[in-house]
């Protein structure tokens, strides 16, 4: 639609799962975005619930800062349970 | 992101989107004349899918920073290309079968590797599209099977459709590897994973046995199994015809774009009304708050 805002579409495929991003579309308002999302993204029973969020309302981390943000996690292997070696005879731990 | 990579992706994804949108026309031509209510419902669902595919792809192209308006504008002013296959006319009901069987199979052959390409939004759109194209391909084959097991006239109609759609379907894989302009970069950037000729050969190898099941013959006297290569050899493709259609001299190029422009202009009031409605309700929400 001419000049109408862009919306990101999230669909929850089944109860118990989280909504996942499936794509985007244009629509003048949230109600029409939901209607369009139903036609564009759930023609084959892909979902039980839809969220639409204006793309301009999403704030993303900067790809250039990827290392500064995420690199420190990699040298803390002790955060993973598998870091700790257990004697074979220990059970249920 | 390097500029040339971005530019290549925008070109390829938007051409792909335009193909889906223009691709609604040849089959849409038969919706009102489908031979049964069930066939009609199936065809409507298929054409609606093509619209959906166009929308997934336009969205993917927009993530690269080109607006929807620009993309649509390029199509309507003949600045953008779309697949040459959609510039051929659908003369009989059997053409709907041949398109589903051949054109959608060829599309899947092209698109499955794209589902693993280096650009995520394009790859994800492809995964979804390929799933839906499988329905398109089967419904097309089903039409061909029904016709080829029908009366002699129906079988002849199926053969005639195959005769007209076979060669243009082979052209869908693009020019031979020796002349393909964009291939080298696209391979290097992992947008493209297999060459045009490789995919074309796979399509031939896959489709010839299916024609045997239908009891139809391929319109190519040079087509035969080459045991040494383990592939079918096939005749020379008329690349002059391909380039003529690319340049705009196909049987339906003019008609397809004119129809698209008319649809876009006739739909302008819907877009305007939706915008006005959204504005009115936004104002009411503010007043009520």
């Amino acid at each position: 639609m001419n000049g109408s805002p862009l919306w990101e579409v999230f669909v929850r495929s089944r109860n118990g799962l989280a909504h996942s991003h499936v794509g985007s579309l244009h629509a003048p308002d949230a109600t029409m975005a939901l209607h369009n999302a139903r036609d564009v993204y759930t023609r084959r029973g892909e979902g039980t619930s839809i969220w639409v969020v204006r793309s301009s309302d999403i704030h993303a981390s900067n790809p250039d800062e990827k290392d500064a943000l995420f690199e420190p996690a990699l040298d803390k292997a002790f955060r993973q349970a598998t870091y700790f070696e257990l004697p074979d005879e220990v059970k249920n731990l | 992101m390097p500029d040339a990579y971005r530019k290549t992706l925008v070109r390829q994804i938007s051409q792909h989107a335009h193909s889906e949108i223009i691709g609604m026309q040849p089959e849409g031509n038969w919706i009102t004349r489908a031979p049964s209510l069930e066939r009609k419902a199936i065809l409507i669902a298929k054409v609606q899918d093509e619209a959906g595919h166009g929308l997934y792809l336009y969205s993917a192209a927009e993530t690269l920073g080109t607006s929807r308006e620009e993309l649509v504008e390029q199509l309507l002013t003949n600045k953008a290309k779309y697949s040459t296959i959609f510039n051929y006319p659908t003369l009989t009901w059997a053409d709907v079968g041949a398109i589903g069987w051949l054109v959608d199979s060829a599309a899947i052959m092209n698109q499955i590797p794209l589902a693993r390409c280096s650009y995520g939004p394009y790859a994800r759109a492809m995964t979804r599209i390929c799933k839906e194209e499988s329905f398109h391909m089967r419904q097309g084959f089903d039409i061909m099977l029904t016709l080829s097991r029908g009366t002699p006239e129906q079988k002849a109609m199926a053969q005639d459709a195959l005769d007209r759609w076979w060669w243009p379907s082979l052209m869908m894989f693009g020019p031979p590897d020796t002349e393909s302009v964009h291939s080298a970069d696209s391979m290097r950037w992992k947008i493209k994973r297999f060459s045009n000729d490789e995919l074309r050969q796979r399509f031939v190898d896959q489709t010839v046995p299916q024609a045997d099941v239908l009891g139809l013959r391929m319109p190519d006297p040079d087509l035969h199994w080459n045991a040494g290569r383990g592939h079918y050899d096939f005749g020379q493709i008329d690349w002059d015809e391909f380039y003529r259609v690319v340049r705009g001299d196909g049987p339906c190029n003019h008609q397809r774009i004119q129809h698209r422009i008319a649809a876009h202009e006739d739909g302008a009031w819907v877009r305007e009304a939706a915008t006005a409605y959204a504005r009115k309700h936004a104002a009411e929400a503010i007043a009520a708050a």
Side-chain angles (χ1 to χ4, degrees):
Chain A
M1 300 225 177
N2 274 357
S4 65
L6 190 64
W7 302 77
E8 300 302 323
V9 181
F10 300 79
V11 170
R12 190 180 68 201
S13 54
R14 283 187 283 124
N15 280 342
L17 295 180
H19 287 75
S20 324
H21 184 246
V22 292
S24 52
L25 48 77
H26 287 272
D29 68 11
T31 310
M32 285 184 259
L34 280 171
H35 289 161
N36 291 353
R38 179 244 179 216
D39 287 346
V40 177
Y41 292 106
T42 63
R43 288 194 302 282
R44 287 179 173 77
E46 290 92 335
T48 53
S49 164
I50 303 173
W51 288 352
V52 291
V53 179
R54 263 186 194 248
S55 309
S56 58
D57 286 341
I58 291 181
H59 300 269
S61 62
N62 184 344
D64 296 340
E65 293 167 7
K66 197 173 71 175
D67 288 348
L69 288 174
F70 306 115
E71 192 73 46
L74 298 180
D75 61 15
K76 293 183 185 61
F78 48 81
R79 282 188 191 273
Q80 312 292 338
T82 50
Y83 175 78
F84 302 93
E85 280 183 31
L86 292 179
D88 286 344
E89 58 272 29
V90 176
K91 305 293 176 202
N92 299 320
L93 193 73
Chain B
M1 182 185 289
D3 271 351
Y5 177 76
R6 183 189 301 270
K7 221 177 121 194
T8 297
L9 278 171
V10 171
R11 181 181 48 75
Q12 180 170 337
I13 301 173
S14 61
Q15 278 182 14
H16 199 158
H18 300 326
S19 300
E20 301 283 357
I21 296 299
I22 296 292
M24 289 193 281
Q25 292 184 38
E27 291 173 291
N29 181 32
W30 280 91
I31 288 175
T32 56
R33 294 174 287 167
S36 71
L37 189 56
E38 190 192 22
R39 293 285 188 203
K40 182 175 182 171
I42 292 171
L43 185 56
I44 289 173
K46 179 182 192 291
V47 172
Q48 188 193 18
D49 277 349
E50 309 296 356
H53 297 176
L55 294 175
Y56 311 153
L57 288 162
Y58 281 131
S59 300
E62 279 180 284
T63 62
L64 293 158
T66 308
S67 74
R68 179 77 57 99
E69 287 77 14
E70 279 174 78
L71 297 172
V72 170
E73 173 76 13
Q74 286 167 4
L75 174 64
L76 298 183
T77 54
N78 271 318
K79 288 193 194 96
K81 293 196 180 92
Y82 55 87
S83 179
T84 52
I85 194 83
F86 300 117
N87 289 315
Y88 292 86
T90 40
L91 304 179
T92 71
W93 170 251
D95 290 21
V96 175
I99 290 178
W101 172 39
L102 300 173
V103 175
D104 290 298
S105 300
I108 293 174
M109 192 66 80
N110 264 328
Q111 289 167 0
I112 282 178
L114 288 172
R116 290 186 295 132
C117 79
S118 56
Y119 189 61
Y122 192 29
R124 289 192 287 276
M126 280 299 121
T127 303
R128 216 183 152 80
I129 288 174
C130 285
K131 238 186 261 173
E132 301 184 348
E133 297 280 13
S134 307
F135 143 60
H136 299 176
M137 178 172 80
R138 290 221 182 164
Q139 68 86 37
F141 188 81
D142 188 66
I143 291 172
M144 294 301 273
L145 192 64
T146 305
L147 289 172
S148 64
R149 290 180 178 172
T151 64
E153 289 80 5
Q154 286 170 326
K155 186 166 182 181
M157 191 192 265
Q159 181 65 57
D160 167 63
L162 172 57
D163 291 346
R164 283 180 290 107
W165 289 93
W166 175 246
W167 291 104
S169 298
L170 294 186
M171 295 175 196
M172 282 177 70
F173 295 92
D177 294 348
T178 45
E179 286 168 45
S180 181
V181 195
H182 303 293
S183 282
D185 281 342
S186 288
M187 288 274 200
R188 195 155 53 86
W189 292 330
K190 297 198 166 47
I191 297 170
K192 203 171 171 155
R193 311 179 66 100
F194 302 99
S195 79
N196 295 355
D197 287 332
E198 249 176 304
L199 291 172
R200 189 167 11 245
Q201 181 71 60
R202 274 190 212 177
F203 174 73
V204 173
D205 292 348
Q206 169 187 295
T207 310
V208 173
Q210 295 169 357
D212 292 341
V213 174
L214 294 172
L216 301 177
R217 74 191 136 60
M218 291 299 191
D220 179 358
D222 298 324
L223 183 85
H224 53 83
W225 177 252
N226 182 329
R229 287 203 311 129
H231 293 290
Y232 284 93
D233 290 336
F234 53 97
Q236 188 61 40
I237 294 170
D238 182 355
W239 291 111
D240 289 342
E241 175 182 323
F242 173 76
Y243 287 114
R244 259 200 318 279
V245 182
V246 169
R247 280 196 311 267
D249 288 333
C252 302
N253 295 57
H254 181 71
Q255 182 190 336
R256 297 289 184 239
I257 291 297
Q258 286 316 112
H259 187 85
R260 186 64 230 141
I261 291 172
H264 188 71
E265 288 173 357
D266 291 348
W269 72 270
V270 178
R271 295 186 292 275
E272 285 160 20
T275 307
Y277 179 86
R279 208 179 296 126
K280 185 177 131 193
H281 280 266
E284 280 170 7
I286 292 169

